[in-house]
């Protein structure tokens, strides 16, 4: 199966690569290779998370995921074992949804039938999570995070008082099982597989095992800052303007300005552009790694690697080889409109003059000179 | 029938009816009114370009002169809509070029506008007068050159916040010497230097010019000349507001500002050097709108400027103004209606400025006409929100962004449900609301119960489960636009309220828990909705139906599924 193609514009979040490279994994093909983590506590997460959440995780987070892969996680107290059989889940899903479509007569049956699906997260985030893309891992509806459950009386009451019969017990179950502050701690998980990395709050990117606990509690400041896509909600125009403004000001103070600097990155042969925020990197190496990960899905297709969970790791290094083996070179368009090879000028000068990036086939880049970075 | 008016009379009467709402209302009275109305409608607003097709519009309204179109969903502003999603205006231009040769005005928002489209516009509409491109992209200064060169009667060219491929400022020279009709020119989003002499000549020969928004590349020492050529200006956006301090530049500038007796709106102020700010003081008493949101100056300078503007109605400013500045604002500007405070360093973990919830409370206390708020801050309490709500029951737009998602009330450590609940309970005319902070299903209960006039709701990182979404969809009677990201809302609420979706313009859900199966079902059962699933990870039907979709965009449409979807968007098909 060819890897899925991503067209997401991100601020250089390397997590995009997670989604990309996982293309061939789907929920049903959980044959254990030795790398699959099993759900030892009998809990698994059938909550759903969108891959976009995943993609919002920072690069740091992605690195941390690999560490976390080996840690044992606490399941949510009171959470039930979700369905393991995807067919059953599908059946239930269909049944449930039909009945709820016409709200005047909410079907108790339908609702109750779904209650078993409303389980919530166990939060084992496994090795397989880091290997697989999020989309495959998703299951429907009842979200939950692997958070410590803060029992909240109000939650169980409110459905009754306000539900007006539309959302009976099922909602209660849902609510009670859900984590208190789950908000959207998306956990895209396949029923058979433990929750994903995406469950980690993007902000809690330290690799500690307290990660999930701390993220539950908003008062704890994450150790490392990760940028969530599109948050805070500020238009690109304003972000870029402020970036240049503060940079100008800070040049006087001598410190590196904050703010974002989004530029478009394209790759020969790839159908989608991405956007990266150059300010999240401080060296060419970081930029190069991030781009490798972001665009690995396209070259993986060309490598022709398939199927195993460990594929992503393999292919990343393969991609690195590809890039360093000069099949592709990284070029940029500068303020004067000239295309140059990346790496010739000091980093600061580069980010000040770079208008857009392009990953070109080396054969196309010959005219740019051969002093790329290696 | 014997008592019906001749059509000419009806037409005359209808010519006094202007708003879309009224026009829509009279068009459904009876068949003859429908006919008269449709032939006499000159202006149309299409809030979602995919809700209808050019052909349908043209068939119904054969004599339009002014068209407004919106394309991408609002969250596209924050990079949540991938490139290539759609919203291309070209099919509309091509169809209108044939049908509306007398088209005068085009206002586009969040649409993809190519140079080809601009060239077609410039050639097709002989009497073209107004082009507003708000947050659009896809065009270059070449397209602008075509507009400048060919639109003989151009009155407005407004590129607010668009992304332009800026090759050079040369395009401005394409305005012919015979062009004297400009009323409004907004090039603030452009990066390149335009030819200053061309600009000065253009400004000088357009006596009706009221609005001039320059770009950053226009240096401060060029401003006095421009102002002297246009003393009738009502709205001015400066370029970079910095120069070495030279007394002659300052006095020239101050004199020029003093000469502009009609000035009501100021903006721009990039790279501000505070020493030059007093040059605008002579104009301050007339100023009603001040956009300092790019001005990185500190609170004392901001206070000095703002407190001079006693008639200020709208202020956009960075959080450098701090609580102290907002106190001063509250004391001086009693006519204030709209306040927007933007973050100077949105990605900083800790705040860099002393701006808290208190500033907003002060303004809500001191400014009785305040009804529109956009406020970025780092901390909030329920008590503050309750105060604001009680102070300002006239609030119509309230958008609060606490920068860190899921932030609690920092005093009580509770969620902010009660605070936002107070907002919707007391502010009965609230039309637009954006939530932030730690929020449970309870806040949605409040919203569903009280926010009966709410038309647009933005939600992020909030809620506990489907019940929250259900409260909103079942309770908010006036809801037109709902956009949700990173919330645990799933299938049940959505499906249970499917019919509601037809009464709304659109619903956006990303990083939520809606399954592909539910989307398919919705698409199958609701023929008048386009249910679009966006998934960059590959075909959603290659995974079990219970898997969640990345992004979901549902909107009502009479045009059926669109045909220009990129590879990562799928429309759920209707079963006949």
């Amino acid at each position: 199966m060819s890897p899925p193609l991503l067209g997401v514009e991100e601020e250089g979040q390397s997590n995009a690569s997670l989604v990309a490279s996982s293309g061939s994994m789907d929920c049903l093909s959980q044959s254990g290779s030795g790398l699959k983590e099993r759900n030892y506590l009998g809990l698994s997460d059938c909550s759903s998370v969108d891959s976009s959440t995943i993609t919002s995780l920072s690069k740091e987070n992605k690195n941390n995921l690999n560490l976390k892969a080996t840690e044992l996680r606490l399941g949510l107290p009171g959470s039930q074992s979700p369905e393991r059989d995807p067919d059953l889940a599908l059946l239930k899903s269909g049944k449930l949804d039909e009945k709820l479509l016409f709200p005047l007569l909410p079907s108790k049956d339908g609702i109750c039938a779904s209650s078993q699906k409303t389980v919530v997260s166990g939060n084992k985030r496994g090795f397989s999570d880091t290997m697989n893309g999020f989309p495959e891992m998703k299951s429907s509806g009842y979200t939950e995070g692997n958070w410590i459950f803060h029992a909240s009386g109000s939650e169980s009451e409110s459905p009754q008082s306000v539900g007006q019969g539309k959302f009976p017990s099922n909602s209660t179950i849902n609510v009670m099982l859900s984590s208190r502050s789950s908000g959207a701690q998306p956990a895209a998980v396949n029923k058979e597989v433990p929750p994903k990395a995406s469950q980690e709050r993007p902000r809690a990117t330290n690799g500690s095992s307290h990660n999930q606990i701390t993220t539950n509690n908003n008062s704890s400041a994450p150790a490392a800052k990760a940028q969530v896509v599109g948050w805070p909600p500020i238009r690109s125009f304003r972000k870029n303007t402020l970036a240049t403004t503060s940079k100008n000001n800070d040049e006087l103070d001598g410190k590196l300005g904050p703010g974002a600097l989004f530029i478009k990155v394209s790759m020969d042969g790839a159908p989608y552009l991405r956007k990266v925020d150059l300010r999240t990197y401080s060296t060419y190496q970081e930029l190069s790694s991030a781009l490798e990960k972001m665009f690995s899905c396209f070259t993986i297709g060309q490598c022709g690697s398939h199927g195993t969970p460990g594929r992503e790791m393999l292919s990343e290094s393969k991609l690195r080889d590809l890039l360093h083996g000069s099949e592709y070179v990284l070029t940029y368009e500068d303020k004067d409109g000239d295309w140059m090879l990346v790496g010739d000028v000091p980093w600061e000068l580069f980010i000040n003059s770079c208008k857009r990036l392009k990953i070109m086939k080396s054969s196309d880049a010959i005219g740019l000179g051969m002093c790329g970075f290696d | 029938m014997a008592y019906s008016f001749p059509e000419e009379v009806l037409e005359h009467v209808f010519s006094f009816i202007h708003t879309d709402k009224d026009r829509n209302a009279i068009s459904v009275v009876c068949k003859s009114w429908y006919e008269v109305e449709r032939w006499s409608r000159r202006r149309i607003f299409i809030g979602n370009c995919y809700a209808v097709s050019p052909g349908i519009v043209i068939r119904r309204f054969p004599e339009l002169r002014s068209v407004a179109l919106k394309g991408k969903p609002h969250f596209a502003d924050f990079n949540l809509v991938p490139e290539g999603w759609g919203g291309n205006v070209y099919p509309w231009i091509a169809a209108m070029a044939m049908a509306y040769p007398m088209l005068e005005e085009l206002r586009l928002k969040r649409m993809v506008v190519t140079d080809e489209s601009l060239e077609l516009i410039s050639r097709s509409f002989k009497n073209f007068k107004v082009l507003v491109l708000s947050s659009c992209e896809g065009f270059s200064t070449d397209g602008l050159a075509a507009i400048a060169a060919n639109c003989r009667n151009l009155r407005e060219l407004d590129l607010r916040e668009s992304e332009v491929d800026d090759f050079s400022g040369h395009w401005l020279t394409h305005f012919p010497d015979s062009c004297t009709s400009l009323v409004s020119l907004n090039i603030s989003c452009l990066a390149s230097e335009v030819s200053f002499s061309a600009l000065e000549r253009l400004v000088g020969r357009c006596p009706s010019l009221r609005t001039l928004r320059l770009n950053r590349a226009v240096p401060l020492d060029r401003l006095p000349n421009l102002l002297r050529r246009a003393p009738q200006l009502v709205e001015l956006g400066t370029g970079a507001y910095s120069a070495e301090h030279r007394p002659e530049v300052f006095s020239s500038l101050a004199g020029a500002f003093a000469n502009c007796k009609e000035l009501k709106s100021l903006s721009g102020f990039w790279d501000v050097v505070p020493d030059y700010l007093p040059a605008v003081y002579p104009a301050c008493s007339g100023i009603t709108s001040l956009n300092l949101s790019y001005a990185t100056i500190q609170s004392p300078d901001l206070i000095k400027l703002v407190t001079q503007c006693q008639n200020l109605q709208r202020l956009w400013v960075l959080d450098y103004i701090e609580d102290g500045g907002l106190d001063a604002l509250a004391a001086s500007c009693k006519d204030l209606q709209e306040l927007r405070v933007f973050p100077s360093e949105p990605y900083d973990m800790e705040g860099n400025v002393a701006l808290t919830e208190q500033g907003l409370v002060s303004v809500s206390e001191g400014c009785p006409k305040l009804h529109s708020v956009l406020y970025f801050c780092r901390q909030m309490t329920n008590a503050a929100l309750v105060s604001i709500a009680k102070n300002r029951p006239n609030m119509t737009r309230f958008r609060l962004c606490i920068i860190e998602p899921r932030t609690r009330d920092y005093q009580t450590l509770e969620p902010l449900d009660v605070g936002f609940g107070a907002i919707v309970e007391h502010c009965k005319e609230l039309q637009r609301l954006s939530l932030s902070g730690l929020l449970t299903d309870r806040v949605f209960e409040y919203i569903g119960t009280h926010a009966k006039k709410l038309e647009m709701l933005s939600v992020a990182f909030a809620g506990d489960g489907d019940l929250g979404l259900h409260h909103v969809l079942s309770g908010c009677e006036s809801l037109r636009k709902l956009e949700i990201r990173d919330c645990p809302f799933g299938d049940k609420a959505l499906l249970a309220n499917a019919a509601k979706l037809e009464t709304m313009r659109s619903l956006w859900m990303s990083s939520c828990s809606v399954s592909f199966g539910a989307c398919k079902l919705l698409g199958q059962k609701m023929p008048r909705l386009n249910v679009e699933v966006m998934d960059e990870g590959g075909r959603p039907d290659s995974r079990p139906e219970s898997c969640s979709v990345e992004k979901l965009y549902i909107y009502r449409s009479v045009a059926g599924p669109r045909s220009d979807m990129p590879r990562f968007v799928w429309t759920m098909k209707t079963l006949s």
Side-chain angles (χ1 to χ4, degrees), chain A residues 4-9 48 50-53 101 103 138-140 143 162 183-184 203 218 229 231 235 239, chain B residues 83 161 216 296 347 403-404 406 445 471 485-486 488 496 511-513 525 536-537 543 546-550:
Chain A
L5 300 171
L6 293 187
V8 75
E9 340 172 304
S48 49
D50 294 352
S51 57
S52 54
T53 315
L101 187 51
K138 297 186 191 135
S139 61
S140 70
T143 293
V162 185
R203 291 162 303 142
N218 285 308
V229 177
W231 191 268
R235 293 188 175 178
K239 274 196 278 210
Chain B
E83 196 134 328
E161 301 199 334
R216 199 172 185 170
T296 51
Y347 303 109
I403 289 180
E404 186 72 14
R406 303 202 186 83
E445 190 185 330
H471 285 311
R485 60 163 295 174
D486 293 89
S511 305
C512 297
S513 308
K525 302 282 183 179
E536 290 163 295
R543 299 185 288 277
S546 52
C547 288
S548 293
V549 298
E550 263 180 34

Side-chain angles (χ1 to χ4, degrees), chain A residues 4-9 11 19 23 26-28 48-53 56 86 89-90 93-94 96-98 100-103 111 114 117-118 135-144 150 154-155 157-159 161-163 166-167 170-171 174-175 178-186 191 201 203 216-219 221-222 224-225 227-239 241-242 244-246 248-249 255 258-260 262 264 271-273 275 355-356, chain B residues 74 77-83 109-110 134-135 137 161-163 165-166 188-189 216 270-271 291 293-294 296 316 318 342-350 376 401-408 413 415 435-436 438 440-442 445 449 460-467 470-471 474 485-493 495-498 509-515 517-518 521-522 525-526 535-538 542-551 566-568:
Chain A
L5 300 171
L6 293 187
V8 75
E9 340 172 304
E11 303 122 333
V19 190
D26 61 43
C27 299
L28 299 177
S48 49
V49 143
D50 294 352
S51 57
S52 54
T53 315
S56 68
L90 281 175
S93 136
L96 161 69
D97 298 338
E98 283 277 356
L100 277 184
L101 187 51
F102 302 99
I111 291 171
S114 71
K117 265 193 352 159
T118 17
E136 296 82 52
M137 306 310 251
K138 297 186 191 135
S139 61
S140 70
Y142 313 102
T143 293
E144 286 335 323
H150 287 181
S154 61
E155 283 177 355
E157 281 151 22
S158 53
S161 52
V162 185
K166 288 208 175 163
F167 273 36
N170 186 46
S171 317
N174 192 14
V175 167
S178 68
S179 87
R180 181 68 182 72
S181 68
S182 52
Q185 257 322 312
K191 297 192 166 118
R201 279 283 310 151
R203 291 162 303 142
N216 186 32
N217 186 356
N218 285 308
S219 52
K225 178 151 192 3
Q227 283 189 27
V228 179
V229 177
W231 191 268
I234 302 173
R235 293 188 175 178
S236 311
F237 180 72
R238 181 172 296 282
K239 274 196 278 210
T241 304
L242 274 182
T244 346
T245 304
S246 55
N248 291 341
N249 293 344
K255 69 172 160 57
F262 288 95
K264 296 182 182 180
Y272 310 111
L273 284 188
K275 275 190 186 166
K355 274 176 43 178
R356 67 177 83 187
Chain B
H74 175 235
D77 284 351
F78 316 129
N79 283 346
L80 288 178
V81 176
E83 196 134 328
K109 187 165 186 179
R110 279 187 220 105
S134 175
S135 302
E137 53 161 358
E161 301 199 334
S162 290
E163 235 179 81
D165 256 339
D166 197 339
S188 54
C189 63
R216 199 172 185 170
W270 287 287
D271 313 312
N291 182 352
S293 63
Y294 297 105
T296 51
W316 293 19
L318 286 172
F342 295 95
S344 51
E345 300 193 8
Y347 303 109
D348 248 19
M349 290 294 301
E350 275 93 49
F376 283 81
C401 179
I402 305 169
I403 289 180
E404 186 72 14
R406 303 202 186 83
T407 303
R408 294 168 182 266
L413 298 186
L435 305 174
S436 59
L438 181 66
T440 71
D441 279 348
R442 175 163 272 175
E445 190 185 330
T449 306
F461 306 105
D464 304 314
D466 271 341
L467 203 55
H470 175 69
H471 285 311
S474 58
R485 60 163 295 174
D486 293 89
C487 296
F489 300 144
D491 298 345
K492 287 201 312 296
L495 294 175
N497 292 283
M509 291 179 74
S510 60
S511 305
C512 297
S513 308
V514 179
S515 73
L521 191 61
L522 207 53
K525 302 282 183 179
M526 309 293 290
D535 206 323
E536 290 163 295
S542 65
R543 299 185 288 277
E545 290 199 351
S546 52
C547 288
S548 293
V549 298
E550 263 180 34
K551 297 175 188 176
R567 285 154 73 173
F568 53 85

